[in-house]
Amino acid sequence: MVEGIGDESVEQSLRTRAELGRLLAAAEGYRVVASDGSQLGWLGHVRYLWHADDPDEIVVRRRGLGPKRRRVVLFSAVGAVRPRESTVVLRLDRSALEGSTSA
């Protein structure tokens, strides 16, 4: 089978996804920010629902005056993990995340 450009982009996408998953596995407690730079909370943990090596969701802890709250965000919304800054950056801005699921 001959691989074409389309196959390379799929392969690159899979590599990028695997690298993000690897970085997230060691990112508990990292600050989580939206694409517009607003802070959303801290990474509580990563959920693996279907495959042990491929994350499905992240759980973001939010602190406030009331009880601790959590928000579940799909792994596909993760744009970058920056270990030097201890930060997870999402692809979505804060307004897009307002309707996401709470855990």
Side-chain angles (χ1 to χ4, degrees):
M1 182 163 126
V2 178
E3 291 185 23
I5 293 173
D7 294 328
E8 290 177 24
S9 64
V10 169
E11 184 177 323
Q12 181 63 31
S13 175
L14 291 174
R15 271 193 234 138
T16 301
R17 184 175 169 91
E19 180 64 10
L20 278 175
R22 184 186 70 78
L23 291 169
L24 276 174
E28 184 175 333
Y30 279 20
R31 197 167 54 102
V32 179
V33 298
S35 63
D36 60 8
S38 58
Q39 183 164 332
L40 302 171
W42 293 264
L43 181 65
H45 61 276
V46 181
R47 288 186 181 170
Y48 300 86
L49 304 173
W50 296 101
H51 302 285
D53 61 345
D54 188 19
D56 294 290
E57 302 170 334
I58 64 170
V59 177
V60 179
R61 294 187 328 254
R62 298 183 291 170
R63 296 182 189 138
L65 297 176
K68 291 182 184 177
R69 297 185 330 189
R70 297 183 195 121
R71 172 175 291 178
V72 176
V73 179
L74 292 176
F75 175 68
S76 60
V78 176
V81 179
R82 299 179 181 156
R84 289 183 183 178
E85 300 169 20
S86 298
T87 303
V88 175
V89 181
L90 302 182
R91 298 176 196 269
L92 306 172
D93 63 19
R94 186 180 197 90
S95 63
L97 290 164
E98 290 304 318
S100 68
T101 312
S102 292

